Amino acid sequence: MAYVITQGCCNDGSCVPVCPVQCIRPRPGDPDFTHTEQLYIDPAACIDCGACMDECPVEAIHPDWELPENLSEYAEINSDYFETHPTAGASVPSYTRRVLAEGHDSLRVAVVGSGPAGCYATGLLSEIPGVTVSVLDRLPTPFGLIRAGVAPDHVHTKSISERFNRFLDRANVDCFFNVEVGKDVSLQELLDSHHAVIWAGGVGADRKLDRPGEDLDGVYSARDFVAWYNGHPDFADRAFDISGERAVIVGNGNVALDVARTLLLPREVLARTDMSDLAIDALARSGVREVVVVARRGPEHAAYSLGELLALSNSGDISLAAEASEVAAAPDHGRRHDILLRAAQKADANDPAERVVRLRFGLEPVSIEGSERVRSITFRRSDGRLETIETSAVFRAIGYRGLEVEGLPFDPLTATIPHNAGRVVEPRSDEEIPGVFCSGWIKRGPRGVIGTNKVDAVETVDSILQDLAADRLTAPKNERGPLVDLLAARGVDVVDKAAWKRIDAAEKERGGAQGRPRQKFLNFGELIDAARGDK
């Protein structure tokens, strides 16, 4: 018997150091760790101790004798990984407790952004004796895309926020939510009160198709749609016309599959999640019964994970279909290929399912047609022929993109902050900016999963400690108090740690009454009222 890692693995490697026989792969530092879809347990080496399951922050690990039916294939998926990645001869990873360098008894760091990148950095820093951390976020709530980007029906994935909450709850961590750096306080003012600042603000835009008709009504950003149905306060007033029977999504990553699934899930499923009530009502009224997910390249290049594809194929509410000619012509790429072949066979059999996700491959967008709003979208097939698909809604899901941050250098080609191991640098001179660091998507680009941010954070935090030891950081001019006083003098309604706990408790109480994880407050006013205890 053995334990099995399944769908929802966050890849942060928390399970690796607790395994007494080191049978979990890949591990931080392994060549394929930053590119793997998930971690795996070697069934031949596992001693059935359960330590990994206890440590997993997203409940993705199960004993093989208790695997839910919809996750049963993961026993074989874990085993298959070790046919090409044997554990024999692998050394036990070392762990060095981080401490401040000799001669330094304190370090104050401001972390801008409280998503996974910021929270992992906060967790690493706050466990070091002598370190204090200030976490700032523009929103009144923490956790970034964990709260506003993860699909609402991925409840276990969202549960990693409980671990992040424990980081924020540490005595040496101060929270300054509802504070916008660059507006309410400047980067320089943060440096005046801290040895270092880590910019972990994520990315704020998405890539465009750059095709005629993209500005028509009915053409939407998948990023905006995800934020809307997750209750992000910036998008509470948005409206998406999903009254037609067919929607087209251009892109083939996990976000594309999340949007496709969300458009088709029945109300009773959505009503058990923390999705915005406005979104639940709108989706329940939706006329969409078919979602076409279109990829420019073949299925062997698909960017979505095996776990997301497998979950969609096993959905009892949605049928998965594919074009036999587009799938059969592609090279065999293992289990993914088998799933797509089954989907193609189902499509050929004219599956009468009421709700269908149809995967298409090798179609290059040419134009979007319509007078005032979208009517259809035309693609160029790999054989050069044109194909037009009628639709009343088009979602672009071809990737997120970073935005320039005032006061920080920016590389417009990669849409990231130039850096050297997390140290922000001037691109022309490659000169490091003392005390300024970065982590997360704005550092490496919008790729990877939740746990990939931990690798980023480790590198950035180690760079800060090295710079402190080498006296490359300037001691702060001010103590913590002046930052608090400065924000108060400017009338900033700061949501501190206690205020966030009031929001959290109120949302959970509202949701609990309906059998849901939480019911979110959808605008800034409601959130601030809840922070004050008025809700």
Side-chain angles (χ1 to χ4, degrees):
M1 294 186 290
Y3 280 76
V4 178
I5 300 178
T6 66
Q7 181 191 9
C9 173
C10 67
N11 287 37
D12 82 348
S14 297
C15 55
V16 173
V18 302
C19 176
V21 293
Q22 287 300 299
C23 67
I24 302 175
R25 296 290 188 280
R27 302 173 299 178
D30 289 349
D32 55 342
F33 177 80
T34 57
H35 304 290
T36 190
E37 292 184 350
Q38 67 165 77
L39 307 186
Y40 306 88
I41 295 175
D42 186 350
C46 177
I47 61 172
D48 190 24
C49 70
C52 56
M53 185 176 74
D54 293 338
E55 186 66 23
C56 179
V58 293
E59 301 179 34
I61 303 180
H62 304 266
D64 59 4
W65 64 91
E66 291 182 355
L67 271 177
E69 184 177 352
N70 64 314
L71 301 177
S72 60
E73 289 188 62
Y74 280 91
E76 188 176 351
I77 290 171
N78 277 247
S79 180
D80 287 350
Y81 177 82
F82 293 95
E83 291 184 7
T84 53
H85 302 81
T87 57
S91 60
V92 177
S94 60
Y95 174 76
T96 302
R97 183 174 176 82
R98 292 177 177 82
V99 295
L100 298 183
E102 186 175 350
H104 297 273
D105 58 5
S106 67
L107 172 67
R108 292 211 301 274
V109 180
V111 178
V112 182
S114 64
C119 282
Y120 277 125
T122 298
L124 290 165
L125 286 162
S126 59
E127 67 183 8
I128 304 172
V131 175
T132 55
V133 185
S134 304
V135 184
L136 299 95
D137 201 293
R138 181 180 66 84
L139 296 179
T141 57
F143 310 138
L145 288 181
I146 299 299
R147 180 178 169 97
V150 173
D153 59 327
H154 287 1
V155 178
H156 291 314
T157 303
K158 284 177 173 284
S159 66
I160 198 170
S161 62
E162 296 305 315
R163 172 163 293 184
F164 293 158
N165 245 334
R166 292 196 291 274
F167 295 161
L168 299 180
D169 205 33
R170 291 174 178 169
N172 57 339
V173 176
D174 293 315
C175 295
F176 297 86
F177 303 145
N178 201 42
V179 176
E180 185 172 352
V181 178
K183 176 185 175 184
D184 300 320
V185 62
S186 70
L187 182 63
Q188 184 56 55
E189 286 170 331
L190 287 182
L191 285 170
D192 288 342
S193 299
H194 301 83
H195 291 83
V197 174
I198 300 176
W199 192 277
V203 298
D206 63 310
R207 295 173 58 196
K208 300 294 184 68
L209 294 171
D210 292 328
R211 294 294 185 270
E214 188 171 5
D215 295 329
L216 286 170
D217 287 344
V219 180
Y220 306 116
S221 156
R223 170 186 170 274
D224 293 356
F225 187 64
V226 169
W228 168 74
Y229 66 60
N230 269 309
H232 192 298
D234 285 346
F235 297 86
D237 297 330
R238 289 292 303 272
F240 297 85
D241 186 345
I242 46 178
S243 58
E245 292 189 1
R246 178 185 292 132
V248 173
I249 302 173
V250 181
N252 67 346
N254 284 342
V255 171
L257 294 194
D258 281 348
V259 170
R261 189 179 66 255
T262 301
L263 282 166
L264 296 175
L265 283 173
R267 184 188 186 107
E268 56 267 26
V269 173
L270 300 177
R272 296 194 296 266
T273 73
D274 66 356
M275 177 181 281
S276 151
D277 284 351
L278 292 175
I280 292 174
D281 290 341
L283 288 164
R285 297 192 303 269
S286 165
V288 178
R289 295 297 179 267
E290 179 187 23
V291 180
V292 184
V293 180
V294 182
R296 300 172 189 237
R297 298 195 291 174
E300 70 275 19
H301 300 291
Y304 47 68
S305 65
L306 171 61
E308 289 294 330
L309 181 63
L310 188 58
L312 189 56
S313 72
N314 290 334
S315 172
D317 301 302
I318 301 168
S319 180
L320 182 67
E323 297 290 327
S325 60
E326 295 168 1
V327 174
D332 187 338
H333 47 293
R335 194 175 297 270
R336 295 180 190 224
H337 196 67
D338 293 340
I339 294 171
L340 293 176
L341 287 174
R342 291 199 299 269
Q345 292 167 359
K346 186 180 292 187
D348 285 346
N350 294 318
D351 180 13
E354 181 184 353
R355 300 165 187 261
V356 180
V357 172
R358 194 173 306 279
L359 302 180
R360 299 294 309 276
F361 300 96
L363 301 181
E364 173 76 20
V366 174
S367 61
I368 301 171
E369 295 81 37
S371 53
E372 294 184 355
R373 64 172 297 104
V374 60
R375 182 186 69 252
S376 62
I377 178 170
T378 297
F379 298 91
R380 179 173 290 105
R381 298 160 54 109
S382 55
D383 59 10
R385 291 185 296 165
L386 297 180
E387 178 177 343
T388 297
I389 300 176
E390 293 185 0
T391 181
S392 59
V394 172
F395 295 86
R396 59 173 182 270
I398 56 175
Y400 291 3
R401 180 177 172 81
L403 293 174
E404 186 170 0
V405 176
E406 185 177 354
L408 291 176
F410 185 74
D411 183 341
L413 293 179
T414 62
T416 59
I417 294 175
H419 70 95
N420 173 20
R423 301 176 179 91
V424 175
V425 301
E426 292 288 357
R428 294 180 180 177
S429 63
D430 206 33
E431 183 179 346
E432 296 171 4
I433 302 176
V436 183
F437 300 80
C438 60
S439 190
W441 277 3
I442 197 65
K443 172 186 175 185
R444 72 178 186 276
R447 61 183 183 276
V449 293
I450 294 171
T452 316
N453 293 287
K454 188 174 183 178
V455 179
D456 262 1
V458 166
E459 180 183 61
T460 297
V461 167
D462 285 346
S463 291
I464 291 174
L465 296 177
Q466 291 163 13
D467 284 5
L468 180 69
D471 294 324
R472 290 196 290 264
L473 300 181
T474 302
K477 300 176 183 177
N478 303 322
E479 297 297 326
R480 173 188 178 277
L483 177 58
V484 177
D485 295 341
L486 177 68
L487 293 170
R490 291 174 178 171
V492 181
D493 208 338
V494 176
V495 174
D496 60 14
K497 192 183 305 186
W500 154 239
K501 288 182 179 180
R502 286 191 286 271
I503 295 174
D504 191 35
E507 289 186 338
K508 287 178 177 176
E509 182 179 0
R510 282 157 40 104
Q514 305 174 37
R516 301 166 61 187
R518 69 173 66 236
Q519 184 182 0
K520 295 175 182 174
F521 297 108
L522 300 184
N523 59 59
F524 284 91
E526 290 181 335
L527 286 163
I528 296 303
D529 285 346
R532 294 169 176 161
D534 296 337
K535 288 285 186 178

